[in-house]
Amino acid sequence: MKVLVVNCGSSSLKYQLIDSETEQALAVGLCERIGIDGRLKHTPAGGDKVVLEDALPNHEVAIKNVLAALTNPTYGVIKDLSEIGAVGHRVVHGGEKFTKSVLIDDAVIAGIKECCDLAPLHNPANLIGIDACMKLMPGVPEVAVFDTAFHQTMPKEAYLYAVPYEYYTNYGVRRYGFHGTSHSYVSKRAIAVAGLDANNSKVVVCHLGNGASCSAVLNGRSVDTSMGLTPLEGLIMGTRSGDIDPAVIEFVAKKENKSLSEMMTVLNKKSGVDGISGVGSDFRDLDAAAKEGNERAQVAVEAFAYRVAKYVGAYTAAMNGVDAIAFTAGIGENDGKVRKKICDRLGFLGITIDDAKNAIRGEEVIISTPDSKVKVMVIPTNEELAICRETVALI
Ligand code: ADP
């Protein structure tokens, strides 16, 4: 079956058409600047990227143009829309309502709407994408795959914040965690690659991209994760602060006469390794600046690695041990220097790294030495494939 995987952001829309039998992407693409002007980048498998500059005033037009690109006689990959058997949507926040992927119906749409409060930038965009696909492909089954669902197995002691309990019961204030599709996919692959028994396994997944999070996966189930009510908590990220003393917010707001929402923008968009270094959020730029002797870039990378190592240590305690550590996403998959920095801080766990294996790029590889007490590996994440599999399983 051919499955269209859709990931709708507020002004962007990523898509892949995947053949579920071969698990190969037939086409991948991205609509950018929706509601501003519009650009559609479409790449058929084995072909050249096509850039279409048609106006994209809203998500419905964006999806219409994606479907036109997929069926285009020159760069399309299917003859007819009837070849699309199902649509899988990435939905950011499922609250406590959605603990797994679901076939979308009116009740599910209402449930996703209820969670808009928790993800005001993301869930409304996801709903617009779902609505547009329903209009343009009536009768085609659609599935919602939630970023938060995998972490719904966390125990209460891991997800409760130590604030008045009514904030949890009245407003749903608790840790939810994100990147769940990636943590689920990567932890399963890690168990397979390390040859572990899924029912007797302790895995830490380090999803290190522009957004970054760690998770503790005990016997295949998430028992803790570093992102919280929102994706701001936890690791140091590209532009997000991760953990800070909450008192910093009031302290700086008073000094700089900033509002609460201005402070939240600072913590989301102007902090992280970008904030520390002043160089930027991309680790390639940070590595280059650090090499030239830029001290703030050096300390930003060091602080990033330190924070990840600290979380791995914490999650080892949470699971009373660790069998495997898996690195994934942009930095986790590509930056061997950062992986090495993190693992060097974890020598107390009996971890040793094989430098030649650590230099391999773009494939699943165990980077620890055979005598390392913990298996450390790189597992390229594939959220679209995971969404495709979930979609097929549900229909
Ligand atoms: P997200 O999906 O959260 O936007 P990604 O997982 O795509 O992020 O990761 C993007 C980040 O990965 C970039 O900002 C950059 O820091 C890092 N990255 C990508 N390629 C490399 C590379 N070759 N070397 C080092 N870092 C890289």
Side-chain angles (χ1 to χ4, degrees):
M1 179 198 297
K2 286 165 188 142
V3 178
L4 180 62
V5 174
V6 176
N7 180 355
C8 248
S10 52
S11 69
S12 70
L13 185 159
K14 290 188 208 154
Y15 64 93
Q16 285 196 11
L17 186 69
I18 300 178
D19 182 330
S20 66
E21 271 110 61
T22 61
E23 298 204 327
Q24 296 301 309
L26 304 171
V28 302
L30 167 69
C31 298
E32 294 172 312
R33 302 173 62 83
I34 301 171
I36 305 166
D37 39 27
R39 184 180 307 128
L40 196 169
K41 295 176 179 164
H42 171 86
T43 312
D48 292 332
K49 185 192 282 179
V50 188
V51 180
L52 304 161
E53 304 272 359
D54 299 321
L56 302 175
N58 56 48
H59 287 75
E60 191 177 332
V61 175
I63 297 217
K64 206 180 258 174
N65 289 14
V66 167
L67 299 178
L70 289 170
T71 49
N72 182 281
T74 314
Y75 47 78
V77 291
I78 49 175
K79 282 207 180 75
D80 199 84
L81 286 186
S82 63
E83 287 183 50
I84 299 177
V87 184
H89 292 271
R90 174 188 181 221
V91 178
V92 166
H93 219 305
E96 288 188 329
K97 207 173 182 73
F98 298 105
T99 57
K100 46 184 185 300
S101 305
V102 285
L103 203 56
I104 298 174
D105 58 17
D106 288 348
V108 168
I109 290 176
I112 298 172
K113 262 188 203 145
E114 276 171 37
C115 300
C116 280
D117 202 20
L118 292 166
L121 293 179
H122 294 99
N123 274 28
N126 300 150
L127 281 166
I128 292 170
I130 290 169
D131 187 54
C133 286
M134 286 189 153
K135 275 195 193 133
L136 297 166
M137 289 178 277
V140 176
E142 303 199 31
V143 168
V145 180
F146 298 91
D147 253 22
T148 49
F150 181 61
H151 301 302
Q152 278 296 305
T153 47
M154 279 187 287
K156 216 162 184 175
E157 64 266 29
Y159 72 68
L160 275 187
Y161 291 123
V163 294
Y165 195 74
E166 306 81 71
Y167 296 170
Y168 169 57
T169 48
N170 291 348
Y171 315 125
V173 171
R174 51 159 284 180
R175 175 184 312 288
Y176 291 95
F178 297 87
H179 292 142
T181 313
S182 177
H183 285 289
S184 168
Y185 175 87
V186 171
S187 58
K188 284 185 182 71
R189 288 302 310 151
I191 287 167
V193 170
L196 299 170
D197 169 6
N199 296 317
N200 186 17
S201 58
K202 297 169 177 177
V203 178
V204 174
V205 176
C206 305
H207 177 111
L208 310 179
N210 208 10
S213 65
C214 280
S215 66
V217 183
L218 180 64
N219 304 331
R221 291 154 66 89
S222 173
V223 292
D224 207 347
T225 191
S226 58
M227 284 177 167
L229 175 77
T230 75
L232 182 56
E233 193 183 349
L235 302 179
I236 295 174
M237 308 183 212
T239 62
R240 287 176 233 160
S241 64
D243 300 335
I244 58 162
D245 178 347
V248 167
I249 298 170
E250 190 193 27
F251 185 85
V252 177
K254 279 187 176 158
K255 295 266 180 212
E256 300 212 339
N257 198 21
K258 282 189 160 65
S259 68
L260 252 186
S261 75
E262 283 170 329
M263 283 309 298
M264 294 318 290
T265 304
V266 170
L267 296 181
N268 273 299
K269 305 234 160 104
K270 300 198 164 141
S271 299
V273 287
D274 182 22
I276 296 178
S277 68
V279 168
S281 60
D282 193 304
F283 272 62
R284 289 162 285 198
D285 300 335
L286 290 168
D287 285 346
K291 243 185 233 137
E292 284 166 14
N294 182 318
E295 276 176 39
R296 277 171 60 186
Q298 288 164 357
V299 77
V301 175
E302 215 51 64
F304 177 88
Y306 174 71
R307 180 80 56 92
V308 176
K310 224 162 80 164
Y311 266 94
V312 174
Y315 289 168
T316 302
M319 295 190 288
N320 198 10
V322 61
D323 301 315
I325 298 169
F327 288 101
T328 195
I331 301 155
E333 291 169 30
N334 294 302
D335 199 328
K337 278 200 287 275
V338 167
R339 288 195 298 261
K340 182 87 165 91
K341 273 184 197 296
I342 296 165
C343 292
D344 281 348
R345 292 180 178 274
L346 298 168
F348 72 99
L349 290 173
I351 289 175
T352 44
I353 296 298
D354 177 332
D355 290 334
K357 291 269 171 61
N358 190 33
I360 296 172
R361 293 263 298 271
E363 56 183 273
E364 289 181 349
V365 57
I366 295 180
I367 60 169
S368 49
T369 57
D371 60 346
S372 176
K373 292 219 173 68
V374 179
K375 285 204 166 74
V376 183
M377 60 192 80
V378 176
I379 306 281
T381 194
N382 193 336
E383 290 170 272
E384 289 77 14
L385 178 57
I387 292 172
C388 168
R389 284 180 183 165
E390 293 272 310
T391 302
V392 173
L394 268 169
I395 60 167

